[in-house]
Amino acid sequence: MTKYILVSGGVISGIGKGVIASSTGLLLKMTGLKVTAIKIDPYMNIDAGTMKPTEHGEVYVLNDGGEVDLDLGNYERYLDVTLSRENNITTGKIYSEVIQRERRGDYLGKTVQIIPHVTNAIQDWIERVSHVPVDDTDETPDVCIVELGGTVGDIESAPFIEAMRQFQFRVGHENFALIHVSLVPDMHGEQKTKPTQATVRDVRGLGLMPDLVACRLMSSRPLEDATKAKISMFCHVGKDQVLGVHDVSSVYHVPMLLAEQGLVPYLQKRLDLGSINIPKAMVEHGHSIHDRWQRLTEGQERPYGEVTIVLVGKYTDVTDSYMSVTKSLEHAALRCNRKLKLQYLESSHLEPSTLDAAPAQYHNAWRTLVMADGVLVPGGFGDRGTDGMILATKWAREQKKPFLGICFGFQLAVVEWARNVCGWTDAHHTEIDEHTPNPVVVYMPEISKTQLGGTMRLGLRATHFEPGTEKWSKLRKLYGGASPIYERHRHRWEVNPLYVERLQASGLEFIGKDDKGERMQAFEVRGHPYFVGLQAHPEFCTRPLNPSPPFLGLVAASCGMSMLEEQLVGQSNYKSPHPHPAPAEEVNGLEGKEAPKVNGSKPHA
């Protein structure tokens, strides 16, 4: 019987439920258990695909093309698993499914209501997805972590709370536990417990009894014993059921922080995890994860030096817009034993118009760019700030600074090359100028121009390296010399095939292409320390213990050529997080697993 751990939150949103849920799953995986995770988002959207990054953080893309909440990225990175779009439940998905059932007559003419029809649909979804294998064992998970987004008490989350109240009886007391995350504010040196008392009272009033209360403190000061005792008394839990989660130097320390407070022994007793038969090989694998994670966190506290990367982007006001990019750089810096100094640079500040409107801002932006060890231009949409991205790319290319362009950054690097190397000064991206005389980046012919949700080129795709690149390409060596490689995509535009031959003749070598050899997916410039671009989003496949190769190359090259050479040698045994991916034509259809149907059909790929 699968064990379920619900992680809910109170007082405020964005309190850290995702990291606590991921850390809990990681600790259980260290014991040899197989763990999966589900995120519930109470918003009405079908998925996160049409949301602005500045409103909800980055849109995380899965192998099957699912566009989901960024917390699923936390789950995949911490647990080293491969999730599907079904692991992200939204109100939109649930209501769509219930309405479709009603239209088919599945409810036999009954009045369709929130209880029991919506709540049953939620429970059925969780139970179904919790049994889908997510790792290379291809076996049913032992434990499913369910994170309820938002804050307990919100109107939109009420059906999910009620569903989980019913669910605890469906699966049985010994198979269901609740971790409730609350805020403990520090007021002039005194840790206040009233907000936690209130939110636990709300949860209990809704029929759920917290087994563990995780107290989030927004400072480096740990939870005091007196505070813990008070929460224990007023929240009807033992002192060993109150966990303190204060600010630490890195989120990678959170699992060990929870372990020190007895999280695992408590859950083992509460959920009778000892009754699960864990093969010896899985126990040893869990111990290996523990040891490597311990070394990771210890090494982070003793870096050899510092490396500065400047991220030239469009959504820098909300850094969660680049969550996976940030994590990829962190993982690469950890591998290189360097402290990462990441500077977010609003690309429009590099543009001449800013020199007229805000000269100090303009000069500060260029100073930030010039002082960096490496330059990263990530994905994005729209024309705002694109000239600044192109200028940053030009500077990195000409000054021999390590550069990595991702998706939109890849496309704009092609525009920059066309303008300044090929001499086509009017070359452009057709999203920005659809009437440009030299459209070097164009809309893909198979992509819908009328429906935006779920219609991009999405999900895990193969990239085949060109013959001969194994002799010189740094990027290919970073992937261990493998071909094809698999990365996740999310785009509507591509390099115009009509210009490829001329671009390559000028020195921009497209070293990676799609299955048919028609779509350009990676370039690299010879004679440059590291000038690389990928159409894919490799940040979605990074792991703390297995950094994304393109990001590792950028950080290593930014540390110096000797570090890059060292990492190129070390990557000869690189293991992809997707060692046995489905064929490209099957990945987005989620064949073999039941995918949610939207508007009567499977979601578009």
Side-chain angles (χ1 to χ4, degrees):
M1 178 69 185
T2 302
K3 309 291 184 178
Y4 297 88
I5 300 173
L6 174 65
V7 180
S8 61
V11 186
I12 60 172
S13 60
I15 200 170
K17 298 187 298 296
V19 173
I20 291 171
S22 302
S23 299
T24 301
L26 175 64
L27 290 173
L28 294 175
K29 191 158 185 174
M30 288 176 180
T31 68
L33 293 168
K34 300 180 292 293
V35 183
T36 187
I38 295 172
K39 173 68 188 296
I40 296 174
D41 284 304
Y43 47 67
M44 284 297 299
N45 305 60
I46 293 291
D47 59 31
T50 56
M51 292 185 181
K52 292 192 299 184
T54 51
E55 181 172 317
H56 199 71
E58 78 171 359
V59 177
Y60 189 79
V61 179
L62 301 169
N63 278 8
D64 64 359
E67 297 173 286
V68 297
D69 184 82
L70 57 81
D71 275 318
L72 272 81
N74 279 328
Y75 306 154
E76 287 202 332
R77 287 188 287 268
Y78 276 71
L79 305 179
D80 193 18
V81 294
T82 301
L83 304 177
S84 78
R85 70 180 82 222
E86 285 209 283
N87 290 81
N88 192 193
I89 303 175
T90 68
T91 298
K93 286 181 180 178
I94 294 295
Y95 277 43
S96 177
E97 180 172 298
V98 170
I99 290 170
Q100 287 177 42
R101 288 181 180 179
E102 186 274 332
R103 291 291 83 188
R104 291 195 302 265
D106 292 356
Y107 298 120
L108 303 176
K110 293 183 179 179
T111 302
V112 179
Q113 298 176 295
I114 302 297
I115 303 172
H117 303 102
V118 169
T119 53
N120 282 348
I122 295 167
Q123 294 175 75
D124 293 343
W125 192 304
I126 291 172
E127 199 162 18
R128 181 178 72 248
V129 175
S130 69
H131 290 89
V132 176
V134 293
D135 58 25
D136 53 10
T137 66
D138 204 32
E139 297 176 354
T140 300
D142 302 307
V143 178
C144 179
I145 309 289
V146 181
E147 180 191 347
L148 176 59
T151 307
V152 169
D154 293 343
I155 292 175
E156 56 264 31
S157 66
F160 295 99
I161 291 285
E162 171 59 22
M164 298 315 295
R165 184 195 70 78
Q166 298 174 22
F167 192 70
Q168 65 185 325
F169 299 108
R170 178 190 284 205
V171 299
H173 178 73
E174 69 283 1
N175 298 314
F176 181 91
L178 169 62
I179 300 175
H180 189 63
V181 186
S182 178
L183 177 69
V184 175
D186 191 311
M187 300 291 288
H188 310 294
E190 181 184 358
Q191 294 177 347
K192 293 293 191 179
T193 65
K194 277 293 190 288
T196 298
Q197 293 179 41
T199 186
V200 170
R201 184 167 59 247
D202 289 344
V203 172
R204 294 179 65 194
L206 293 169
L208 288 168
M209 303 286 286
D211 295 286
L212 291 165
V213 178
C215 301
R216 183 73 179 90
L217 299 103
M218 301 298 190
S219 72
S220 58
R221 184 180 168 198
L223 188 69
E224 296 176 351
D225 284 342
T227 308
K228 183 178 288 191
K230 193 171 183 180
I231 291 172
S232 169
M233 179 186 299
F234 287 100
C235 295
H236 198 64
V237 292
K239 281 187 68 175
D240 62 328
Q241 296 169 261
V242 181
L243 309 175
V245 187
H246 56 271
D247 286 349
V248 288
S249 58
S250 164
V251 292
Y252 305 116
H253 289 277
V254 174
M256 298 309 178
L257 177 65
L258 294 174
E260 290 168 2
Q261 299 177 72
L263 173 68
V264 174
Y266 177 82
L267 290 176
Q268 286 175 328
K269 181 179 178 180
R270 170 65 180 78
L271 295 173
D272 190 24
L273 298 179
S275 64
I276 299 174
N277 182 31
I278 306 175
K280 183 180 179 181
M282 291 298 292
V283 173
E284 292 174 351
H285 179 60
H287 290 163
S288 172
I289 295 173
H290 178 275
D291 293 343
R292 286 186 291 150
W293 197 275
Q294 191 97 36
R295 289 196 297 270
L296 176 85
T297 54
E298 289 173 355
Q300 189 178 23
E301 296 303 309
R302 297 189 298 273
Y304 181 77
E306 187 175 81
V307 59
T308 302
I309 303 294
V310 60
L311 186 156
V312 185
K314 299 159 63 74
Y315 316 117
T316 54
D317 287 344
V318 180
T319 56
D320 274 0
S321 303
Y322 301 109
M323 174 70 80
S324 292
V325 169
T326 301
K327 297 304 177 186
S328 298
L329 292 170
E330 287 178 0
H331 301 165
L334 286 169
R335 172 66 63 85
C336 296
N337 196 27
R338 294 295 191 275
K339 180 180 180 182
L340 175 67
K341 183 179 180 183
L342 178 58
Q343 297 191 308
Y344 296 93
L345 178 58
E346 170 59 47
S347 57
S348 61
H349 294 173
L350 297 169
E351 298 172 357
S353 58
T354 304
L355 176 60
D356 299 329
Q361 198 173 59
Y362 174 83
H363 290 297
N364 286 336
W366 275 100
R367 185 180 299 110
T368 299
L369 177 66
V370 170
M371 295 299 291
D373 299 312
V375 179
L376 171 66
V377 179
F381 295 94
D383 62 346
R384 182 182 62 82
T386 53
D387 287 342
M389 291 178 167
I390 292 171
L391 288 168
T393 304
K394 180 176 185 289
W395 182 86
R397 179 180 58 79
E398 293 179 342
Q399 300 302 316
K400 304 288 186 181
K401 282 285 185 179
F403 169 88
L404 177 62
I406 299 297
C407 194
F408 195 51
F410 163 86
Q411 296 166 358
L412 292 182
V414 174
V415 172
E416 189 279 323
W417 185 279
R419 289 180 179 180
N420 299 307
V421 178
C422 298
W424 310 326
T425 55
D426 53 4
H428 219 321
H429 190 303
T430 55
E431 181 187 12
I432 316 304
D433 180 5
E434 60 181 319
H435 302 297
T436 175
N438 283 294
V440 292
V441 180
V442 295
Y443 205 87
M444 290 188 292
E446 72 270 28
I447 302 300
S448 171
K449 291 188 176 183
T450 57
Q451 182 173 327
L452 297 181
T455 58
M456 285 187 271
R457 185 170 182 253
L458 294 163
L460 197 72
R461 305 277 178 165
T463 295
H464 298 262
F465 283 111
E466 292 290 277
T469 53
E470 68 277 1
K471 299 177 181 178
W472 65 271
S473 169
K474 300 181 184 75
L475 181 62
R476 183 165 182 177
K477 289 178 181 177
L478 287 163
Y479 280 99
S483 183
I485 59 170
Y486 292 86
E487 295 287 3
R488 295 170 178 175
H489 288 247
R490 184 177 186 253
H491 62 107
R492 290 189 177 94
W493 281 265
E494 65 174 334
V495 176
N496 191 337
L498 300 177
Y499 284 80
V500 169
E501 187 175 339
R502 283 175 285 172
L503 287 167
Q504 293 204 121
S506 67
L508 185 65
E509 299 191 53
F510 291 103
I511 62 171
K513 301 178 182 179
D514 71 347
D515 291 315
K516 297 180 180 179
E518 299 172 350
R519 190 156 278 152
M520 303 304 108
Q521 298 192 163
F523 71 67
E524 185 172 345
V525 175
R526 299 198 203 205
H528 192 288
Y530 191 79
F531 195 87
V532 168
L534 288 94
Q535 180 60 79
H537 285 270
E539 67 269 25
F540 294 143
C541 294
T542 189
R543 302 288 188 266
L545 301 173
N546 189 16
S548 168
F551 287 89
L552 179 59
L554 173 66
V555 172
S558 300
C559 293
M561 294 312 295
S562 60
M563 175 58 74
L564 179 58
E565 290 297 331
E566 179 184 329
Q567 295 303 326
L568 290 176
V569 172
Q571 285 293 100
S572 61
N573 59 356
Y574 169 73
K575 181 183 177 184
S576 169
H578 310 292
H580 305 294
E585 66 273 10
E586 293 182 9
V587 168
N588 294 329
L590 198 62
E591 274 77 3
K593 299 178 185 178
E594 184 178 350
K597 293 181 173 57
V598 181
N599 296 330
S601 63
K602 289 185 179 178
H604 291 282

